[in-house]
Amino acid sequence: MKRVIEGDVQSLRARKFLMWLFVISSFMFFAALTSGFIVYTGGSAERGIKIVLPQIFKFSTGAIILSSITMYRAYWAAKRLDFTQEKRYLVFTILLGILFFAFQLLAWHTLIEEGVYFVNYNASQSFIYVFTGAHLLHIILGIFFLTYTLLGCIKNIPHNHNLFRLEVTSIFWHFIDILWIYLYVFLLLGQ
Amino acid sequence: MASAVKLDHAVSGHHHDHDHGHHKETFITKYIFSQDHKMIAKQFLITGIIMAVIAMILSVLFRLQLGWPDKSFPILETFLGKWAEGGRIKPDFFLALVTIHGTMMVFFVLTAGLSGTFSNLLIPLQIGARDMASPFLNMLSYWLFFLACAIMLGSFFTQTGPASAGWTVYPPLSALPKAIPGSGIGMTLWLISMTSFVASALIGGLNYISTILNMRTRGMDLWKMPLTIWALFLTAILGVLTFPVLVAAVVLLIFDRSFGTSFYLSEIVVAGQTLPNQGGSPILWQHLFWFLGHPEVYIVIMPALGITSEVIAVNSRKPIFGYHAMVYSLIGITVLSFIVWGHHMFVTGMNPFLGGVFMITTLIIAVPSAVKTFNYLATLWRGNIRFTPAMLFAIGLVSFFISGGLTGIFLGNSVLDINLHDTYFVVAHFHLVMGSAAIFGMLCGVYHWFPKLFGRMMDEKLAYLHFWLTFAGAYLVFFPMHFMGLDGVPRRYYAFTEFEFMKEWLTVNEFVSWAAIVAALAQVAFLYNFFHSIFYGKKATPNPWHANTLEWTTPVEHLHGNWPGEIPAVYRWPYDYSKPGHEEDFIQQTTPFSQTMSSNLLHDFEGNMEAERIQLDWEAKHKHEMSTRV
Ligand code: HEM
Ligand SMILES: [Cu+2]
């Protein structure tokens, strides 16, 4: 039986590593998009963002940073075997993720009101939608992971598996937090 | 605890035992939705072979058009209907054939078929693991690949035909559904299929990397890994870093096609009508595409190089020459392949200074490639060569890699490329260095590991026939193309009858088409041999080639978990062939040094003083014996 457990530990480690690799490939996706933006925008003076970005982006940034903190608290609660706290902070994180999502949609709304459409002769402006849209897909995936972890915790799965899910989820969640900050700063520099 | 159950199960090794209780295997879980890496490897291989046959038939069809542009083949109309009215292939369909041939060969055969097969088969077996990090994702990877193949084939059954903008699908051609028939639904299906393919390649790649880094058996440190594993590892890294870039490019293309954005489109007039799109940049696509596209060609060749390294060492009965140099050159290729993509874009109006930069990086990448060829030759040099079928194909790869690599140096020169770009010279270059070389690597792997895959041997006589016809055929097809290219004959043209200066090449084209047909027919020898031997081949012994690597320590019958008992530990590198002082000409990685006292060298111990002392003591005691033996 000892070997079986060792095998289990090895396979959990290997699967956690999968998440790191996924983060890397996902980062490459955004690196490609932002490089595409640079190549495109650098091509002519008529291109570029040319507007002030919606203020709501500041609120969404606040929400997602806060959600990273709650994610961290959930992880530490689980380490201390405090499962009520773990559940509570996971729920907070999910709610903040949904809030972030809503803020982004509001930001799109503001953009549209300002006449900055997705279908646009100045594709630099279309890129704003591509960046935020692709990021929102990641948020959906993140919320899915969070829910899965929460369910595991509620169902009282073995602790090492609970911790495994939590670790994998928090790698991803912190990543999409940092990713948003990267995209936001990138857009701010471009504006 | 699913994985624990599985491991437990593996230990007992009763996978045929249907009343075993908790784990029943049905036809579906064993052959279709299998999570066993060996079965998934076979699925990748057979799907890859089917795709290769289809892509080859497509190429014969367009060779018919190129070789006999004025002739009518009524039989074509029977099979292709309106695409070959009057027995002549239509121009639109010709473009579709070229496009789908390229896409299938590069992505489905030489990426999924090659990496997918050998990563799945060899990674767990050669590093000593029971399976992949995530067998489930592994299965998903195969099925996404299957879906991609099905969708791509499905595009032949649409009204307007498959995508026709070339395998690089440059916009605006690919972005405007009305531009040519193939840019309609066919292009949409191409994009969907490739998205599925990229998902498959990414999931597979993540799994391969994680498995290699986390699941090696005791003693298998990185510098004891066979070169196949190094090559598959670096290939997977390259894929994980570059395929997402293709996704980004494809996403923007989809927006341009279906939502009316203008990422790639600007000021276009189609049939007298000005399109609304403005301000886009078609060059943006080329940057994004080739940032993937160039690494992709190395994704194709590196597994083939890894397989060849292994097969050449085994069949020369010699350690591979410069193991470390082989690894470092693979790493060098991996790193450099990110900074050479501009050599596909020399004539896009790129700043000449930038062109110069890309020229220099391109010429530098030729260095690690050359290191590899020299090391192959040095391994062969004065080896005790056994010309097994696999060995012949490995040597064939080396030959193609050299002759195709040389023309790369010409193309990499930004000034020469003004003349050579988009001519048959480029076609000749990449069909030798990538097409033929990688296919030979793949066939080499199939012949070598067939006993491991199916527990039986392939027929050698048929294999020799297959090798010589294919080897000669490939050179006869592609070598003349260099001269056409130097004369300025452009690629992807439908017929050479309309241009005065190309007419003199008609006879050459006819010759090339004959060579292609013969080479295609030669593949029947392989297909028959392959499928016949699966069922009726000679039964294989556990280690038919007397090789050192771990996969040959597993039983011929496949088991879940690969080894019936403990996973063996590894004590030495994989290339101890013909080691002086040892009675056999190979020493498996699982043989500890304590059992090979007569052949140990001090540097085998990597600075372990205790082991060195024991060895010296032993040698002092056996001095007499040693000297008589030598
Ligand atoms: C010796 C090193 C090599 C150099 C310097 C080199 C250089 C080049 C250059 C400059 C081109 C662009 C030609 C043009 O379109 O005008 C090219 C095309 C190509 N090369 Fe290489 N190459 C090398 C090795 C390889 C290898 C090892 C592979 C694949 C395994 C490869 C695959 C290709 C392919 C597929 C294309 C054509 C893509 C297309 O336009 O459809 N090359 N090469
Ligand atoms: Cu290239």
Side-chain angles (χ1 to χ4, degrees):
Chain A
M1 202 54 200
K2 179 164 162 281
R3 213 187 38 209
V4 172
I5 291 168
E6 268 171 20
D8 196 31
V9 169
Q10 191 192 42
S11 111
L12 286 185
R13 191 176 41 150
R15 281 190 277 158
K16 189 163 89 192
F17 196 75
L18 282 177
M19 179 49 88
W20 279 111
L21 294 171
F22 179 67
V23 162
I24 292 173
S25 65
S26 168
F27 175 76
M28 281 308 293
F29 173 73
F30 284 94
L33 285 178
T34 46
S35 316
F37 177 92
I38 295 173
V39 170
Y40 175 84
T41 308
S44 140
E46 280 150 42
R47 302 167 182 170
I49 294 187
K50 301 205 153 123
I51 50 155
V52 180
L53 293 171
Q55 294 302 309
I56 303 184
F57 280 152
K58 289 188 182 140
F59 295 107
S60 47
T61 311
I64 200 162
I65 292 178
L66 214 57
S67 77
S68 247
I69 296 173
T70 53
M71 181 77 239
Y72 185 71
R73 303 283 306 247
Y75 178 68
W76 274 105
K79 276 263 176 186
R80 280 182 281 108
L81 304 182
D82 183 347
F83 299 117
T84 9
Q85 286 284 27
E86 183 197 341
K87 277 177 239 168
R88 179 173 308 149
Y89 279 116
L90 278 175
V91 173
F92 281 156
T93 316
I94 294 176
L95 290 178
L96 283 166
I98 294 171
L99 190 66
F100 174 85
F101 202 101
F103 280 144
Q104 297 297 78
L105 292 186
L106 275 176
W108 282 2
H109 189 72
T110 326
L111 283 173
I112 290 168
E113 276 181 348
E114 287 174 16
V116 180
Y117 299 108
F118 176 46
V119 177
N120 200 315
Y121 290 158
N122 178 357
S124 300
Q125 294 182 344
S126 315
F127 264 116
I128 304 177
Y129 287 92
V130 177
F131 292 160
T132 47
H135 183 255
L136 280 184
L137 286 180
H138 283 68
I139 294 282
I140 295 178
L141 192 64
I143 291 177
F144 171 80
F145 278 134
L146 284 166
T147 318
Y148 183 65
T149 313
L150 182 63
L151 287 180
C153 190
I154 290 170
K155 275 194 265 166
N156 253 328
I157 58 170
H159 184 53
N160 65 337
H161 282 241
N162 175 30
L163 211 56
F164 164 72
R165 287 188 191 181
L166 202 55
E167 279 177 10
V168 169
T169 308
S170 55
I171 293 170
F172 189 66
W173 195 262
H174 293 312
F175 163 65
I176 49 184
D177 176 8
I178 295 169
L179 185 62
W180 167 249
I181 293 171
Y182 163 69
L183 291 174
Y184 190 38
V185 171
F186 184 87
L187 285 173
L188 283 176
L189 291 178
Q191 112 187 351
Chain B
M1 293 295 283
S3 53
V5 170
K6 207 154 67 243
L7 280 174
D8 203 11
H9 195 71
V11 175
S12 64
H14 284 301
H15 65 305
H16 287 299
D17 200 348
H18 275 237
D19 42 42
H20 191 57
H22 52 258
H23 186 100
K24 278 218 175 106
E25 261 197 336
T26 61
F27 181 80
I28 300 214
T29 58
K30 179 152 183 220
Y31 293 105
I32 301 182
F33 294 108
S34 170
Q35 298 193 13
D36 184 289
H37 71 99
K38 300 180 288 299
M39 183 55 74
I40 296 177
K42 291 187 211 174
Q43 291 174 327
F44 267 109
L45 178 59
I46 290 179
T47 316
I49 289 179
I50 292 171
M51 288 298 126
V53 170
I54 293 173
M56 190 180 74
I57 293 173
L58 300 184
S59 73
V60 171
L61 287 178
F62 65 67
R63 275 307 335 166
L64 285 180
Q65 162 61 28
L66 290 170
W68 298 276
D70 293 324
K71 206 167 165 169
S72 153
F73 299 91
I75 184 158
L76 290 182
E77 192 170 4
T78 327
F79 284 107
L80 300 170
K82 70 178 166 55
W83 284 327
E85 256 165 29
R88 292 195 52 195
I89 288 173
K90 279 199 186 159
D92 288 335
F93 191 57
F94 175 83
L95 293 177
L97 288 173
V98 181
T99 303
I100 304 296
H101 163 78
T103 309
M104 280 187 171
M105 283 294 191
V106 172
F107 293 108
F108 295 173
V109 181
L110 294 177
T111 304
L114 179 58
S115 272
T117 305
F118 291 102
S119 297
N120 269 302
L121 179 71
L122 296 180
I123 289 176
L125 285 175
Q126 287 196 332
I127 66 172
R130 301 239 180 246
D131 209 310
M132 287 284 175
S134 168
F136 172 76
L137 287 182
N138 210 21
M139 173 184 81
L140 197 63
S141 162
Y142 170 72
W143 283 103
L144 285 168
F145 166 52
F146 183 84
L147 186 69
C149 295
I151 295 174
M152 193 66 80
L153 288 180
S155 69
F156 275 95
F157 298 95
T158 57
Q159 194 68 34
T160 44
S164 311
W167 78 279
T168 56
V169 295
Y170 281 2
L173 203 50
S174 59
L176 299 172
K178 296 217 172 60
I180 40 171
S183 291
I185 179 79
M187 190 63 221
T188 306
L189 290 175
W190 191 96
L191 291 168
I192 298 173
S193 164
M194 284 307 291
T195 310
S196 178
F197 172 81
V198 169
S200 153
L202 274 175
I203 292 175
L206 300 181
N207 229 335
Y208 308 151
I209 300 174
S210 185
T211 309
I212 293 176
L213 287 181
N214 293 297
M215 300 178 60
R216 297 187 310 274
T217 184
R218 256 177 318 126
M220 179 65 86
D221 58 55
L222 291 181
W223 291 108
K224 291 202 177 64
M225 297 198 308
L227 286 168
T228 32
I229 299 297
W230 270 109
L232 294 168
F233 175 56
L234 291 162
T235 304
I237 292 182
L238 211 47
V240 164
L241 292 178
T242 56
F243 273 119
V245 180
L246 181 63
V247 180
V250 162
V251 165
L252 301 183
L253 186 57
I254 290 175
F255 287 144
D256 272 7
R257 287 172 55 81
S258 310
F259 296 81
T261 52
S262 304
F263 291 104
Y264 303 128
L265 293 173
S266 185
E267 288 131 33
I268 292 169
V269 182
V270 174
Q273 267 189 322
T274 315
L275 296 181
N277 311 65
Q278 264 177 35
S281 154
I283 304 293
L284 175 59
W285 169 269
Q286 296 197 22
H287 278 296
L288 292 173
F289 182 88
W290 285 115
F291 189 84
L292 156 91
H294 185 83
E296 167 62 23
V297 304
Y298 283 98
I299 290 175
V300 163
I301 200 68
M302 288 207 305
L305 295 175
I307 289 170
T308 316
S309 308
E310 178 66 23
V311 170
I312 287 190
V314 172
N315 291 301
S316 302
R317 311 311 288 165
K318 263 179 74 182
I320 189 86
F321 185 89
Y323 172 81
H324 284 78
M326 288 301 238
V327 173
Y328 286 123
S329 60
L330 283 174
I331 295 175
I333 288 174
T334 307
V335 173
L336 288 169
S337 68
F338 284 100
I339 49 168
V340 300
W341 81 91
H343 65 215
H344 296 275
M345 300 170 61
F346 284 142
V347 296
T348 53
M350 156 189 283
N351 180 332
F353 175 74
L354 197 57
V357 172
F358 278 121
M359 172 165 106
I360 291 169
T361 55
T362 301
L363 296 184
I364 293 176
I365 206 173
V367 175
S369 312
V371 168
K372 299 205 75 80
T373 34
F374 285 125
N375 283 3
Y376 288 137
L377 297 178
T379 309
L380 289 167
W381 178 250
R382 305 184 75 180
N384 193 0
I385 299 180
R386 296 187 312 204
F387 289 103
T388 61
M391 182 64 161
L392 287 178
F393 279 92
I395 296 172
L397 176 145
V398 176
S399 163
F400 289 129
F401 196 65
I402 296 175
S403 43
L406 283 177
T407 50
I409 315 273
F410 293 83
L411 291 169
N413 193 307
S414 62
V415 179
L416 293 180
D417 191 57
I418 296 172
N419 268 319
L420 297 175
H421 180 67
D422 262 346
T423 68
Y424 267 87
F425 195 84
V426 179
V427 179
H429 160 66
F430 73 79
H431 277 93
L432 286 179
V433 75
M434 176 173 82
S436 305
I439 277 283
F440 270 51
M442 186 168 166
L443 290 168
C444 161
V446 173
Y447 280 111
H448 191 74
W449 279 288
F450 192 87
K452 197 74 262 165
L453 278 162
F454 297 102
R456 290 172 186 272
M457 309 296 286
M458 287 176 82
D459 182 76
E460 295 211 335
K461 295 233 167 54
L462 274 175
Y464 292 140
L465 180 74
H466 176 218
F467 170 78
W468 284 110
L469 287 177
T470 316
F471 185 72
Y475 268 122
L476 292 178
V477 169
F478 299 120
F479 214 81
M481 292 185 185
H482 291 110
F483 305 110
M484 297 170 64
L486 287 172
D487 194 33
V489 179
R491 65 194 279 206
R492 291 178 178 148
Y493 272 33
Y494 170 65
F496 292 178
T497 40
E498 307 297 314
F499 305 87
E500 203 48 53
F501 88 97
M502 291 188 216
K503 278 194 179 139
E504 66 194 41
W505 292 103
L506 280 173
T507 46
V508 174
N509 257 321
E510 194 179 327
F511 170 78
V512 167
S513 291
W514 272 120
I517 291 168
V518 172
L521 287 176
Q523 304 315 305
V524 176
F526 170 73
L527 293 173
Y528 174 80
N529 197 354
F530 181 85
F531 287 106
H532 188 263
S533 304
I534 291 180
F535 301 103
Y536 307 107
K538 251 196 349 229
K539 282 248 159 57
T541 51
N543 189 359
W545 315 120
H546 294 195
N548 289 342
T549 36
L550 272 185
E551 76 272 29
W552 304 109
T553 62
T554 61
V556 178
E557 284 287 324
H558 286 174
L559 320 168
H560 272 320
N562 299 334
W563 284 270
E566 289 254 1
I567 302 182
V570 161
Y571 302 97
R572 57 176 78 232
W573 78 327
Y575 296 108
D576 270 342
Y577 290 106
S578 305
K579 204 171 179 190
H582 193 71
E583 61 271 22
E584 278 174 311
D585 68 349
F586 69 113
I587 311 176
Q588 290 206 306
Q589 285 192 276
T590 48
T591 313
F593 287 112
S594 57
Q595 293 176 17
T596 56
M597 294 309 271
S598 60
S599 67
N600 293 347
L601 301 170
L602 286 187
H603 79 239
D604 287 337
F605 303 117
E606 292 163 351
N608 181 341
M609 302 293 246
E610 177 66 9
E612 282 182 17
R613 192 186 54 73
I614 297 172
Q615 179 71 27
L616 289 174
D617 279 357
W618 186 91
E619 278 172 20
K621 258 186 236 144
H622 294 75
K623 217 180 208 140
H624 174 66
E625 242 175 78
M626 299 268 287
S627 55
T628 49
R629 167 125 30 94
V630 178

